[in-house]
Amino acid sequence: MSIAIVGLGFGAMLLLMFLSVPIAVAIIAVGGFGGWMMYGMPLVDMMGGVIWSSLNSHSMLAIPLFMLLGELLLRGGIADRMYDAMAVWLSRLPGGLLHSNIATCTLFSATSGSSVATAATVGTIALPALQQYRYPVGPSLGSLAAGGTLGILIPPSINLQVYGSIANASVGQLFAAGIVPGIMLALLFSTYIAIFHGNAGEEATELVQMPLRQKLALSKHLIPPFVIFGVVLGSIYGGLATPTESAAIGVMISLGFVALGGQLSWDLLANCAYQAARTSGMVMIVLVVALLLNVTISMTGAAQAVTSWIAAFDLDRLTLLLVLLVFYVILGTFMDAMSMMVLTVPIMMPVILVAGIDPIWFGIFVVIMCEIALITPPVGMNLFVVHGVRTDGGSYGDVIRGAFPYVIVMMGFTIALIIWPELVMWLPNILAGRG
């Protein structure tokens, strides 16, 4: 297959997306039609078997279970109390509650796995307090949108699970690889806030002056997320449970905490189950069409054509990754994060393997590119979510201006990871006994 035909197929998918055709329909239309054109009905018939063998797996259960875990934390009131506890400790830092936004997003990310859910949850909780203490609008909204992106980097991450399925990479290794970059990125966000918005929140004196005894009493609300995060990841890396089993354990523990808080009811369970099923369904549909696209790409030789075309430029590792950085940032301005990942990873995997790039490292690279896509207009999902939960009726431009500096921070951080890949691979190597 020639690179021109591959480019034509990729362009056709983008065109269908621009025409507001659903992402899954656009991908399967081009992938299925392309496979039929090249090999006829035998290839199309084979796709059913691929779907069944891929989805008839206990590992796929981890996605709805982690979705349910996040819903329980949100609707059980745990996230609200978590923010209150963070606020009283971090409000004295330069930037005040803006640090609480980042810290709460980081902690919620460690239990939810979804960026959109993280941004919506923390945004709903934080904005009333930010408005009460007259924090600047742009930086407040920007910190929530950027902090929410950590939901797909810090494990358990739905995007990392999907990447692992597409790239045939270890989800446990991907989770381990996301911890250090996730924490570092959160610290970089807070560093930016302290330097450029250090005067924000000067009116929140009552939080700063709160008695120590009261602060310690509120700190008990940080116990549930830390316990869930520790048990979920500890059971995986301790070899006690698979990611799916650890997700189930996390759900049971969260149910216990919700019950202790007096929030457990049949209505809450039904609502959490409905929302988790709805979100999981959207993710699974995109994953299915990505797997089908994988079949067409493999059978038609599209991946080999792209690999040969890129190899002809004789790019070294650094140059190749910088080109991919620019490519993904541009692509992310008009494509949502999950779709961008499932559309490009099947094509790029042979390329990065030939270039000697570790698939685990590349998974973190792609997810950070997805994070940038979440806060770049015009289709940055976190921008829409944060703008949607505000109640002051302000301009959408406030969110864009507030989030833009974090795009620069993430791009700079990605370049640092390219130069020092051990920042990503250190922990997975240690856990795998390679360190």
Side-chain angles (χ1 to χ4, degrees), residues 87-218:
V88 298
W89 287 108
L90 300 178
S91 56
R92 64 172 58 248
L93 296 177
L97 290 180
L98 299 183
H99 294 288
S100 301
N101 295 346
I102 301 299
T104 306
C105 284
T106 303
L107 197 51
F108 191 79
S109 297
T111 52
S112 75
S114 168
S115 283
V116 172
T118 301
T121 301
V122 181
T124 302
I125 299 166
L127 281 175
L130 294 168
Q131 292 169 355
Q132 176 186 347
Y133 295 114
R134 299 184 182 180
Y135 275 76
V137 175
S140 298
L141 298 173
S143 65
L144 291 167
T149 65
L150 297 170
I152 60 171
L153 179 58
I154 297 176
S157 162
I158 302 302
N159 284 52
L160 285 176
Q161 291 180 66
V162 173
Y163 173 87
S165 299
I166 299 173
N168 197 26
S170 165
V171 174
Q173 290 279 288
L174 287 166
F175 279 4
I179 294 175
V180 173
I183 294 172
M184 291 180 66
L185 195 52
L187 292 174
L188 285 174
F189 288 168
S190 284
T191 302
Y192 162 76
I193 288 169
I195 294 173
F196 293 97
H197 301 293
N199 295 326
E202 293 179 340
E203 297 184 25
T205 54
E206 64 187 73
L207 293 174
V208 176
Q209 298 170 357
M210 183 176 291
L212 178 61
R213 180 179 297 179
Q214 195 170 349
K215 290 183 177 180
L216 292 174
L218 285 170

Side-chain angles (χ1 to χ4, degrees), residues 67-68 70-72 74-76 263-279:
M67 292 289 189
L68 180 58
E71 289 292 331
L72 287 169
L74 166 60
R75 302 179 191 282
Q263 300 294 319
L264 190 60
S265 67
W266 287 113
D267 286 342
L268 180 137
L269 288 176
N271 197 11
C272 289
Y274 171 76
Q275 293 298 331
R278 182 179 178 183
T279 309

Side-chain angles (χ1 to χ4, degrees), residues 80-89 207 210-224:
D80 301 60
R81 296 189 287 271
M82 187 197 316
Y83 184 83
D84 293 339
M86 287 289 190
V88 298
W89 287 108
L207 293 174
M210 183 176 291
L212 178 61
R213 180 179 297 179
Q214 195 170 349
K215 290 183 177 180
L216 292 174
L218 285 170
S219 297
K220 68 181 181 181
H221 299 309
L222 296 177
I223 294 174

Side-chain angles (χ1 to χ4, degrees), residues 192-433:
Y192 162 76
I193 288 169
I195 294 173
F196 293 97
H197 301 293
N199 295 326
E202 293 179 340
E203 297 184 25
T205 54
E206 64 187 73
L207 293 174
V208 176
Q209 298 170 357
M210 183 176 291
L212 178 61
R213 180 179 297 179
Q214 195 170 349
K215 290 183 177 180
L216 292 174
L218 285 170
S219 297
K220 68 181 181 181
H221 299 309
L222 296 177
I223 294 174
F226 276 114
V227 169
I228 294 170
F229 179 73
V231 170
V232 168
L233 293 190
S235 61
I236 294 175
Y237 302 133
L240 302 176
T242 65
T244 302
E245 293 164 345
S246 68
I249 294 169
V251 169
M252 296 307 297
I253 295 174
S254 65
L255 281 171
F257 282 122
V258 172
L260 287 174
Q263 300 294 319
L264 190 60
S265 67
W266 287 113
D267 286 342
L268 180 137
L269 288 176
N271 197 11
C272 289
Y274 171 76
Q275 293 298 331
R278 182 179 178 183
T279 309
S280 300
M282 291 187 291
V283 172
M284 297 303 287
I285 287 174
V286 175
L287 177 57
V288 165
V289 298
L291 293 171
L292 297 182
L293 180 64
N294 241 339
V295 174
T296 299
I297 288 173
S298 300
M299 295 298 294
T300 59
Q304 291 84 348
V306 173
T307 303
S308 300
W309 180 65
I310 294 178
F313 291 98
D314 196 24
L315 302 177
D316 57 43
R317 174 186 174 277
L318 176 62
T319 305
L320 172 62
L321 290 173
L322 290 176
V323 169
L324 288 177
L325 171 62
V326 175
F327 167 74
Y328 272 114
V329 169
I330 295 174
L331 190 63
T333 60
F334 55 86
M335 184 176 292
D336 73 272
M338 182 67 77
S339 303
M340 183 175 74
M341 184 173 70
V342 301
L343 186 61
T344 59
V345 167
I347 298 174
M348 294 310 305
M349 281 307 299
V351 176
I352 65 110
L353 290 173
V354 169
I357 299 169
D358 193 294
I360 301 297
W361 183 94
F362 188 68
I364 302 304
F365 172 86
V366 170
V367 167
I368 295 176
M369 294 300 99
C370 291
E371 288 187 302
I372 294 175
L374 287 166
I375 56 172
T376 48
V379 292
M381 285 301 299
N382 278 23
L383 301 179
F384 288 121
V385 167
V386 172
H387 181 66
V389 299
R390 64 189 297 195
T391 58
D392 60 0
S395 167
Y396 179 60
D398 295 334
V399 195
I400 296 175
R401 287 188 292 272
F404 179 74
Y406 295 95
V407 174
I408 305 302
V409 171
M410 283 192 275
M411 291 178 67
F413 180 63
T414 304
I415 293 172
L417 295 184
I418 293 173
I419 298 173
W420 298 291
E422 59 271 15
L423 293 174
V424 173
M425 297 306 301
W426 172 76
L427 185 56
N429 287 338
I430 289 292
L431 294 175

